Amino acid sequence: MTYLAVPIAAKDLKSCKEHIAAACKAGAEMLELRTDFIEGLDTNKLKELIAAAKQTSLPIIVTCRDTAQGGQNNLPAPLRRQILTEAVKLGADLIDCEFANFLKEDFGQTIKKALAENKKTKLILSEHNFKEPIENLYEIYEEIYSVFPDAIAKTAYQAKHINDCFDAFDILREYGDKAIAICMGRFGIISRIIAKKLNAFLTFASIAEDQATAEGQLTIEKMKNLYRYDSINSDTELFGVIADPVEHSISPAVLNACFAAEKMNKVYLPLLVTDGQAGFDEFLDSITARVWLNFRGFSITIPHKVSALEYSQKKGEYIEPVAIQIGAVNTLVIGVNERITGFNTDYAGAMNALTEAMGTKKPLYNKIAAVIGAGGAARAIVAGLVDAGAKVTIYNRTVSKAQELAEDFKCRFAALEKIEETDAQIIVNCTSVGMYPKIDASPVPAKYLKPSMVVFDTVYNPLETLLLKQANQADAKTVMGSEMFIGQAAEQFKLFTHKDCPMDVLRKTTIKALSE
Ligand code: ATR
């Protein structure tokens, strides 16, 4: 079992006690008493703090961190040593001592003696690097176990790329619950969740964002409610969205809610992959080389949709023909023998949304469609419409771009102003016009909107754009951009799980996440 440990790090005992109560209430499974945070720390304060923590009956780690390894208050070595040995005597379940200090004769011997006299307390030996990854990671773990075989070895290092996490995963795979391996920073967030799948001794979470003791530490609330912490075990399948930036992606909230609703042993993570194609390739290579991580699929978004296509092509993997035609892959599925399949669900999502709004059996065949814009989003929509047999004209501010796209899909093109002459039955906005913060703009003047039209805006921030508002006023049928997200997510869910997506959960969580 991996403990969900919460650091208690406050200046005074009163605050520490409040934080202990909050941690307990939020579902902490272990408390780490960061005594180095306490101002005027002495053994009396330690005694009171341990007594308060013991009332919870949760296991307790006592830490008195050296400033050289991220500690507070610059406490002298003799005091830190005294606090740790006293904690052993007071019955702490664990103490955490920096390995570098443990190797020092006076420090190490005193602690060893205290532990020998109090067999209940276990020892964590730790090494931290707040700037960069630790290079000789294996050697450090081996050295710790050779110096003190019963120790739980811990490292925490700053990840500078998501690919820095794989060394920590390899350690956890090798040593399991005799090890703690944490990658700090925004690139290391997944290490805090995957730790449980790999049976690490513990992973840390905070009671509130402003209480985190290391960069990238998630709140217990997020761990449990967003990332399904309680349901993770060694069989859990992993999924995620590969993006840069990824912080604002609503996909983890939405897909995890769908997995939870279907009681599936799967968790969906935000995967911040930087450094373009090279960073992407290394990430996928690292994943496919580690079958035991059990990553089974990815959503791919900005800026990696082309990287995903090129990676799959380089590896000779199967890619859905329409994804090749669109020039972008937004879904990767990892199958048997770690073989990858590439798809594009963006177009299918959009087409499903349109078809549903039109409510007829063959709704797109031979229909006249106006696509506004000629970028990546337009490409997926044009591919879908042409595939369904619609007669498409592309309208764009930069006519040459409209022409290029039209040539690829054998359809018509025109300058954006010509939209006023359109006799289209379907209008799709694929530009960013009307998107927050410039919400007072629309790519189609209201007077050209007619009741016979279906108007689809791929912009979903705001949910109801000016174009959609005016289309509604003109009695046209409308499709919100959120439906495109919902449509592509439903297709991805199906590809990931081979089951139909719980549409009510998908729709509800999407609208909720987009409204926040
Ligand atoms: P995406 O991948 O989201 O489609 P993109 O490739 O940058 O993004 O494409 C943006 C589209 O919105 C383009 O068609 C762009 O027109 P240009 O090709 O002329 O640049 C269009 N667009 C963006 N801002 C616009 C504006 N203010 N008025 C009209 N079209 C605009």
Side-chain angles (χ1 to χ4, degrees), residues 302 372-378 395-399 401 416 430-433 443:
I302 293 167
I372 307 170
Y395 297 85
N396 197 43
R397 181 177 60 182
T398 311
V399 184
K401 282 206 212 159
L416 183 53
C430 301
T431 73
S432 49
V433 178

Side-chain angles (χ1 to χ4, degrees), residues 429 433-434 438-446 449 457 466-468 470:
N429 173 38
V433 178
K438 293 185 183 162
I439 58 168
D440 293 332
S442 164
V444 187
L449 299 168
D457 200 336
L466 181 62
L467 171 64
L468 292 183
Q470 292 176 334

Side-chain angles (χ1 to χ4, degrees), residues 440-476:
D440 293 332
S442 164
V444 187
K447 58 184 169 186
Y448 303 121
L449 299 168
K450 301 175 197 134
S452 56
M453 290 175 166
V454 176
V455 179
F456 176 14
D457 200 336
T458 62
V459 171
Y460 54 73
N461 179 18
L463 280 170
E464 192 185 40
T465 58
L466 181 62
L467 171 64
L468 292 183
K469 239 178 241 168
Q470 292 176 334
N472 270 325
Q473 282 159 4
D475 277 335

Side-chain angles (χ1 to χ4, degrees), residues 5-61:
V6 175
I8 303 298
K11 285 183 190 171
D12 56 77
L13 289 177
K14 184 171 171 280
S15 308
C16 284
K17 288 175 189 171
E18 285 166 7
H19 293 181
I20 288 170
C24 228
K25 191 163 169 230
E29 296 163 355
M30 184 173 267
L31 300 172
E32 185 198 29
L33 307 178
R34 282 291 302 267
T35 59
D36 51 301
F37 274 77
I38 296 170
E39 285 174 353
L41 176 66
D42 58 20
T43 49
N44 287 332
K45 287 191 177 173
L46 175 74
K47 214 180 232 172
E48 196 178 330
L49 182 61
I50 290 184
K54 278 196 162 186
Q55 280 178 11
T56 66
S57 62
L58 292 175
I60 304 162
I61 308 171

